[in-house]
Amino acid sequence: MKRRQFTQAAAGLAAATTLAPFGIVRAQSRSLKVGVLLPRSGVQAGIGQDCHRGVQVATGILKDLGLPGLEIMNGDTESNVDVARSRAERLISEGAQLLVGAFDSGQTTAIAQVAEQRGIPLVINIAAAPPITEQGYKFVFRNFPTAPMILGDAFANQLEVFSASGAAPKTAVFMHVNDTFGVAMQKGFTGVMSKFTMPYKVVDTIAYDPAARDLSVEVAKAKATGAQALILVSRLNDAILHTRELVKQRWSPMAILSMGPGWYEDQYLKTLGKLGDGPISFVPWYDPNKKLAKQLEAAHRKAFPEINLNTNHIYTFEALLVAADAFKRAGSADPKALADAIRATDIKDNVSTGPGIKFDAKGQNDKLKNSAIQNRGGKLVVVAPKAASNAKPELPIKPYDKR
């Protein structure tokens, strides 16, 4: 090789070497690595797997909205707080640039601690315990209502349901799971209720283990009060146990009012058939009249025709929407830049009930509204608030022995 040819070749090699790292950076910046932590096994497996469906339908919709791609890194919390913490650590070590999760408040609390310590943004999909966004965290954001927000809207929507149906119970029993979420709801129940003029008096409060396999004693105790309504904060498995016990013990309250998950879950509806009709859940939901909600519903129906769109899908989808929107505005996967972009989020074209997605100084979307949904023939209809509804409420519910 002549000297001039060697010099030109060396210069070309040097140029290629210099450009290569920047080429790699550009390729990496095309997508954001998102670690999604959900209880895909263990006692909350059904709900965790349901949340994952929201992840599966998100990709196409985010692309249609002109948002950048997300590289999903899945982590199973196994319905365990300690596992949730270790999985969060592992995902970050494996390159996750943002975390999403984790449905359960206890598991989410552990993940939030890790995210804050490691300086990695966490966008909470579902978790209602108030303390999570009361720690002064800079990297934790929640597009989901707190327990007091859920309770406040639950009482307001109950009054609307009672007025619209022309039927209201005079007595009620409050039953709740004794996990982080259930205890938070129980602590706020009486205080929030005192702000409303409710037609009923709570005659007893009963706590139980969400992993219990037999609730016959608890249901018998509630039945013995003679209460007209059963108000519950539960999970999927115990919601099914409750219903079976109600049928077995021949007790048909005029109203079953849920302030948490379980009663609207697809598995609940399919497992119980006609016996699953009637309960009204006062929960974070979606506005069926919104454009993006209709788009998500159509995409979900196409992907999972046998499964109703619900809270798990909606808020998991919106967590990814927040991540993709922030990544686009930040133009970088740098944790601080992402956190700053999330803090400045202002999404008006969204799915959930309320004016949109915007975070306060604590990282909480405090403008969210909840809905009242009723089980009807294996489907779910929105009965309150009126502005975000597509059906009228039916009370009293039909007795179990007449179905």
Side-chain angles (χ1 to χ4, degrees):
M1 180 181 291
K2 294 181 180 179
R3 173 172 290 193
R4 191 192 318 189
Q5 291 175 318
F6 176 82
T7 302
Q8 289 174 340
L13 179 61
T17 304
T18 302
L19 290 172
F22 295 95
I24 293 172
V25 171
R26 283 196 296 272
Q28 288 176 335
S29 67
R30 291 173 187 167
S31 63
L32 179 70
K33 293 183 178 180
V34 179
V36 179
L37 292 146
L38 296 168
R40 304 278 293 278
S41 61
V43 68
Q44 296 170 351
I47 293 177
Q49 291 162 12
D50 209 29
C51 287
H52 183 64
R53 294 185 180 98
V55 177
Q56 291 174 285
V57 299
T59 306
I61 298 176
L62 295 179
K63 183 178 180 180
D64 290 343
L65 294 175
L67 294 171
L70 302 178
E71 182 181 332
I72 304 300
M73 302 168 66
N74 292 305
D76 180 9
T77 67
E78 300 178 14
S79 303
N80 183 286
V81 171
D82 293 331
V83 173
R85 181 181 290 105
S86 64
R87 290 288 188 275
E89 291 277 8
R90 179 187 296 178
L91 285 177
I92 293 172
S93 296
E94 292 175 350
Q97 298 158 319
L98 181 147
L99 299 178
V100 165
F103 175 76
D104 175 82
S105 290
Q107 295 163 48
T108 304
T109 297
I111 294 168
Q113 292 167 353
V114 172
E116 191 69 17
Q117 290 167 359
R118 299 289 293 271
I120 296 293
L122 165 65
V123 180
I124 297 169
N125 66 329
I126 299 174
I132 297 174
T133 46
E134 296 294 328
Q135 308 298 315
Y137 289 153
K138 302 300 181 184
F139 289 87
V140 178
F141 304 89
R142 173 163 52 186
N143 178 48
F144 194 80
T146 63
M149 290 170 68
I150 293 174
L151 286 167
D153 280 356
F155 289 122
N157 284 328
Q158 280 181 39
L159 291 173
E160 189 171 327
V161 166
F162 298 152
S163 175
S165 65
K170 294 182 179 179
T171 54
V173 170
F174 179 50
M175 302 182 74
H176 69 91
V177 287
N178 61 8
D179 62 9
T180 306
F181 170 59
V183 172
M185 291 288 280
Q186 184 274 325
K187 287 181 178 178
F189 184 86
T190 303
V192 176
M193 181 179 172
S194 65
K195 300 176 182 179
F196 296 84
T197 304
M198 303 306 294
Y200 56 77
K201 176 184 178 182
V202 177
V203 295
D204 200 2
T205 297
I206 303 171
Y208 62 92
D209 187 338
R213 296 185 178 183
D214 185 344
L215 293 173
S216 57
V217 174
E218 288 82 358
V219 172
K221 184 179 178 182
K223 179 184 178 182
T225 66
Q228 294 180 314
L230 192 54
I231 303 173
L232 304 108
V233 175
S234 50
R235 301 292 193 187
L236 173 60
N237 293 341
D238 45 299
I240 294 173
L241 290 177
H242 274 301
T243 306
R244 285 175 170 163
E245 278 302 324
L246 289 172
V247 174
K248 184 179 179 180
Q249 297 188 29
R250 300 181 181 180
W251 181 30
S252 296
M254 71 167 289
I256 295 176
L257 312 172
S258 169
M259 294 184 178
W263 300 80
Y264 60 75
E265 308 288 349
D266 239 64
Q267 189 176 333
Y268 174 87
L269 297 170
K270 290 180 178 179
T271 299
L272 295 165
K274 292 182 179 179
L275 297 177
D277 283 350
I280 300 178
S281 298
F282 299 87
V283 292
W285 202 245
Y286 69 104
D287 183 339
N289 305 309
K290 286 187 176 182
K291 179 182 177 181
L292 189 57
K294 292 177 181 179
Q295 188 176 349
L296 176 60
E297 195 168 24
H300 187 271
R301 188 185 306 113
K302 183 178 180 180
F304 309 105
E306 302 301 318
I307 299 173
N308 293 304
L309 184 67
N310 64 39
T311 298
N312 303 326
H313 316 130
I314 298 156
Y315 284 90
T316 302
F317 166 77
E318 284 200 337
L320 296 176
L321 173 64
V322 169
D325 173 74
F327 181 47
K328 180 178 182 178
R329 287 183 290 105
S332 167
D334 174 74
K336 187 179 183 304
L338 279 174
D340 288 343
I342 296 171
R343 198 169 290 109
T345 297
D346 189 5
I347 301 174
K348 293 183 172 62
D349 182 15
N350 71 319
V351 177
S352 56
T353 307
I357 305 174
K358 198 170 185 177
F359 300 103
D360 64 14
K362 297 178 180 179
Q364 172 68 46
N365 182 358
D366 61 352
K367 299 297 188 293
L368 280 165
K369 293 296 179 181
N370 298 287
S371 299
I373 56 173
Q374 187 167 31
N375 301 3
R376 300 266 189 85
K379 299 294 181 181
L380 303 165
V381 295
V382 183
V383 295
K386 188 176 181 180
S389 65
N390 57 7
K392 293 182 179 180
E394 294 180 355
L395 279 181
I397 62 175
K398 192 172 184 179
Y400 291 114
D401 60 355
K402 295 181 180 180
R403 302 187 185 191

